[in-house]
Amino acid sequence: MKTRGLRSEKKRVRAFWLIAVLSCSVVFVFLLSELSQASAQIEKGSKSPVLSQMVLAGKVTGSQARTKDKNKQESPPSTDKLKGLPEETIKILKENKFLEEELKLAGKPAYYFVINLKEKKVDLKARGMVLKSWNFSDLRYSGKPVPLKVTSLTHKTALDPPERKIIQPDEEQDKDEKEMNEMKESQPEATGTFEVEALELADMPSSFDLNFDDGLKISIQSKSGLKETFHQTWENILWYTWYPIKHFIIRKSELKPRLVIYFENQREAQAIYWAFIDGIKGIIWFP
Amino acid sequence: MRFWKRLLGLITVLYLGFLITLSLSWVHHLKLSAEWKTVWSSELEVKTKVKPERQNAALKNRLKRLPPRDVYLVIDSAENIFYLKKDDQVIRKGIVSTGSGTVLVEPGGKRTWVFDTPKGEFFVKSKIQNPYWVKPDWAFIEEGESIPKKLEDRVEGGALGDYALGFGRGYFIHGTLYTRLLGRSVTHGCIRMADQDLEAVFKASKIGTRIYIY
């Protein structure tokens, strides 16, 4: 009887410790998240109730306060003004904003892009007309959404970026040989069956990142190919585990929005790399 | 034994902690994701003076007035395809050759040329029948020949086909002798067309016709 009593006592103690540790970890995670959120809101230029309490308690450093003031001009998005409005009105207002922004781009001679997240479509446009359109099969987004305004592509990054072929003219090259080559070139043959020294669409990567000036990163990926499948699997693991935790624990990271766009066809992803030249402007929106 | 029990306990606690964190993270993540579908813009304001519906219609009208009224040419340099269009309708479609994207370095590294076809909106600036090519320096350097001093030594007839359309900065839409290379990126930046296509484009366009290259 005594042994049984001791065992049940031990079990009770173990359960107590388990509950205590779990409660502590929940409280710890909550505090960490709150702190992180507060810190992120300083970056955005506003403060949370927890932060205001910390300011009162003198826990916010001078540099943090300065950062807050500096970033105040980059006002955070506000949805308060639109609260209570019917969905249809919001839709019209949104379209209104989109048209205003598009008009800014359409007035210029450069071509621009419009990414419609609802219709899963990337349009390449000039003067308001669609030059080329690509439909993507899948879409993922994380972090705070980007504001509905013109954004500019700063640079593209890829694991295997295309390299331009450099022609080194060989002065010693035999002229006869050259003439022979020219003769061969002028022979009528089926196209596409020979190698040319050129940077073509097939040389473009099918998995790459587009980095925009507002902090948005768009990852373009194609679903075909072994390398792409491996990459997608790795991305899936990160997407379902690391990214949510990262945004939850480190709230600053949610200010770096990220889109992942999947194309069924590898050539379509490559065409995006080709058409999206550095500095291209465009709009990303969810109608 | 006690050590292993404690280790197992610790692992359980850590695992449960991880699950809790992941669950909370997912709640937050879903909340954030939902925001993409709702309104999120600091610029978005409720218009009080002008009716937004009316304003949207006006903006759409302004956008509709921007595309060219006459024929225009669209060049897809990725697929090496051209479209002759009017009012968004394709009048003619065909294959072209565009810039190879290669880099030519002059021996000694003094000058370099990148053979890209420019991208953006352009206009037909000149229309030439029976054009002849005044070979630039790079054409001689590429061939490993010395650059001639006399202009007449640079002139080559027949290489550009029967017609040429200049669209600025020395770039032309012209014909080619190497028709089997049409559809590939092989040029020095100009756009090569097949003879019949070139004739049709030449006749349909006039000075000022817009060309869109992407």
Side-chain angles (χ1 to χ4, degrees), chain B residues 82-117:
Chain B
F82 86 87
Y83 303 91
L84 187 67
K85 287 182 161 187
K86 193 182 181 191
D87 302 327
D88 218 26
Q89 298 295 311
V90 180
I91 300 170
R92 197 178 179 102
K93 185 186 168 185
I95 49 168
V96 291
S97 279
T98 54
S100 66
T102 51
V103 180
L104 175 68
V105 184
E106 188 180 17
K110 284 177 197 167
R111 290 180 289 177
T112 54
W113 291 269
V114 181
F115 298 133
D116 276 338
T117 297

Side-chain angles (χ1 to χ4, degrees), chain A residues 14 18 21-22 25-26 29 75-79 81-82 85 90 92-97 99-100 102-103 106-107 109 111 117 124 126-132 141-149 164-171 175 178 182 184-189 191-194 196-201 216 239-241 244-245 247-249 251 254 257-259 267 274 277 286, chain B residues 2 5 9 12-13 16-18 20-22 24-26 28-29 31-47 51-53 55-57 59-60 62-63 66-68 72 74 76-80 83 85 88 95 98-107 114-116 119-121 123 141-145 177-186 210 212-214:
Chain A
R14 263 183 216 161
L18 193 70
V21 170
L22 278 176
S25 63
V26 168
V29 166
S75 58
S78 162
T79 54
K81 281 183 270 183
L82 301 154
L85 281 173
I90 292 172
I92 291 164
L93 286 169
K94 218 173 177 183
E95 192 188 12
N96 184 261
K97 177 68 189 158
L99 289 167
E100 272 178 2
E102 191 182 357
L103 208 57
Y111 63 78
L117 301 177
L124 202 66
R127 303 284 183 195
M129 57 186 177
V130 179
L131 296 177
K132 179 109 180 173
Y141 28 75
S142 76
K144 285 270 179 194
V146 284
L148 183 49
K149 63 178 185 181
R164 286 181 187 273
K165 285 158 187 134
I166 295 167
I167 306 165
Q168 297 282 5
D170 185 7
E171 283 174 35
K175 273 196 168 183
K178 248 194 272 176
E182 277 177 15
K184 271 184 199 169
E185 275 188 352
S186 58
Q187 296 295 315
E189 277 175 35
T191 51
T193 54
F194 51 87
V196 288
E197 264 201 3
L199 199 64
E200 293 188 293
L201 187 63
L216 173 72
W239 197 268
Y240 290 111
T241 54
I245 293 176
H247 289 146
F248 182 65
I249 305 288
R251 289 294 167 98
E254 75 182 23
R258 188 150 183 252
L259 275 176
R267 209 166 163 83
W274 184 282
I277 48 172
F286 206 113
Chain B
R2 188 179 275 184
K5 272 184 182 172
T12 314
V13 168
L16 287 171
F18 170 75
I20 289 166
T21 315
L22 194 65
L24 288 170
S25 301
W26 260 96
H28 178 67
H29 183 70
K31 210 176 102 190
L32 269 179
S33 296
E35 271 186 43
W36 282 82
K37 292 173 191 173
T38 57
V39 179
W40 198 93
S41 175
S42 52
E43 308 286 322
L44 216 59
E45 276 175 21
V46 184
K47 305 268 189 294
K51 275 192 171 180
E53 294 97 321
Q55 206 185 28
N56 283 3
L59 287 168
K60 277 177 188 169
R62 276 175 72 188
L63 268 171
L66 289 172
Y72 60 95
V74 178
D76 180 345
S77 66
E79 302 285 354
N80 282 307
Y83 303 91
K85 287 182 161 187
D88 218 26
I95 49 168
T98 54
S100 66
T102 51
V103 180
L104 175 68
V105 184
E106 188 180 17
V114 181
F115 298 133
D116 276 338
K119 288 171 180 170
E121 184 191 50
F123 299 91
I141 292 165
E142 194 180 27
E143 296 293 314
E145 293 168 4
L177 296 172
Y178 306 112
T179 48
R180 78 175 184 116
L181 293 175
L182 285 170
R184 304 295 300 267
S185 304
V186 287
R210 291 198 220 180
Y212 297 94
I213 309 171
Y214 63 89

Side-chain angles (χ1 to χ4, degrees), chain A residues 113-130:
Chain A
F113 68 87
V114 173
I115 302 179
N116 187 327
L117 301 177
K118 196 176 181 182
E119 288 172 21
K120 294 184 179 176
K121 204 165 70 168
V122 180
D123 285 336
L124 202 66
K125 294 176 103 177
R127 303 284 183 195
M129 57 186 177
V130 179

Side-chain angles (χ1 to χ4, degrees), chain A residues 29-72:
Chain A
V29 166
F30 175 75
L31 279 175
L32 203 68
S33 147
E34 268 302 311
L35 270 172
S36 175
Q37 195 178 20
S39 148
Q41 273 173 350
I42 291 173
E43 290 282 311
K44 279 156 62 184
S46 66
K47 56 193 180 185
S48 72
V50 174
L51 182 74
S52 59
Q53 281 165 17
M54 282 168 71
V55 174
L56 285 173
K59 283 182 184 172
V60 174
T61 62
S63 64
Q64 275 175 314
R66 276 195 297 278
T67 320
K68 188 194 83 175
D69 290 340
K70 208 168 83 181
N71 289 308
K72 213 166 188 177

Side-chain angles (χ1 to χ4, degrees), chain A residues 167-183:
Chain A
I167 306 165
Q168 297 282 5
D170 185 7
E171 283 174 35
E172 302 297 312
Q173 195 183 347
D174 189 9
K175 273 196 168 183
D176 291 338
E177 195 188 309
K178 248 194 272 176
E179 277 168 16
M180 280 288 284
N181 287 340
E182 277 177 15
M183 284 279 283

Side-chain angles (χ1 to χ4, degrees), chain B residues 155-169:
Chain B
V155 178
E156 196 179 299
L160 304 181
D162 298 331
Y163 307 97
L165 295 158
F167 58 92
R169 290 190 292 159

